[in-house]
Amino acid sequence: MSTNTPVSLTSSSLTGKTEVFIEYWLINYGVDNGSNICPSGFIDAGPDATGPGDDCVQNTPATVIANGQLPITDLASLTFSGSATANGTDTATVTFDGTAYAATVKDSLTDIASGWNQAEFNVVGNAGGSEADFNTGSSLTVKMAVNDGSTSAPTCIAPSQDAGTTGETNNLTLGKCTATGGSTPFVQFTESN
């Protein structure tokens, strides 16, 4: 989900809307040769920082949740879920004030259902490596449920220079992450400043 998203991956003009979409990245794809080597429909984001290939990106069409930006005070009434179904549809769903908004794409685009084994959720900056700046005294608790048919506790992976799936950040300090198994496995952590 993003607020005031660029109208396209190649534009600096903003939509002025809050939207949900799925963004696909192919990291270190192929071997960089100075030209666009990404598959059809993907934008070449340039050479990968760690390998010989390029990083390629593509967004699904966006679904509008609201005109304008959602106030941070409405964050508690917002949930997000993602699913990937082999030979089916991948879906990102935002539920806001009891109404669900979804973006979908055929799983065959990347076949992510066959290898998806990590997820990351947070409130971060809005593209381009930006940072979400929270007021002093802010606290945010993130709870991410896992529904993979298992009752095992998921694993908390501490952030590091090489971990994470987004270049955007926030100005909060990460607290302890706990992982819980059972009928509804989840990870939970608190951030504050």
Side-chain angles (χ1 to χ4, degrees), residues 8-170:
S8 75
L9 287 168
T10 58
S11 173
S12 59
S13 298
L14 302 176
T15 63
K17 299 175 182 182
T18 299
E19 302 171 314
V20 60
F21 56 89
I22 300 172
E23 186 171 271
Y24 285 96
W25 283 88
L26 301 175
I27 304 297
N28 200 15
Y29 178 84
V31 177
D32 177 55
N33 63 10
S35 64
N36 184 353
I37 63 168
C38 295
S40 176
F42 282 80
I43 293 172
D44 192 327
D48 184 75
T50 62
D54 282 356
D55 293 339
C56 308
V57 61
Q58 180 183 60
N59 288 350
T60 63
T63 298
V64 176
I65 298 166
N67 288 314
Q69 295 183 1
L70 298 180
I72 194 71
T73 52
D74 287 350
L75 194 57
S77 62
L78 182 86
T79 62
F80 177 81
S81 66
S83 64
T85 304
N87 301 313
T89 303
D90 300 342
T91 306
T93 304
V94 171
T95 304
F96 177 64
D97 279 343
T99 302
Y101 304 87
T104 61
V105 66
K106 289 183 179 183
D107 185 68
S108 60
L109 178 66
T110 62
D111 192 28
I112 196 168
S114 68
W116 186 12
N117 61 15
Q118 287 186 340
E120 178 179 21
F121 181 77
N122 210 330
V123 179
V124 295
N126 190 31
S130 62
E131 179 180 86
D133 291 317
F134 288 85
N135 294 335
T136 301
S138 295
S139 179
L140 178 68
T141 300
V142 175
K143 182 176 181 180
M144 186 168 38
V146 178
N147 183 0
D148 64 356
S150 168
T151 58
S152 300
T155 303
C156 292
I157 301 174
S160 73
Q161 178 180 338
D162 300 320
T165 56
T166 186
E168 290 71 40
T169 60
N170 65 40

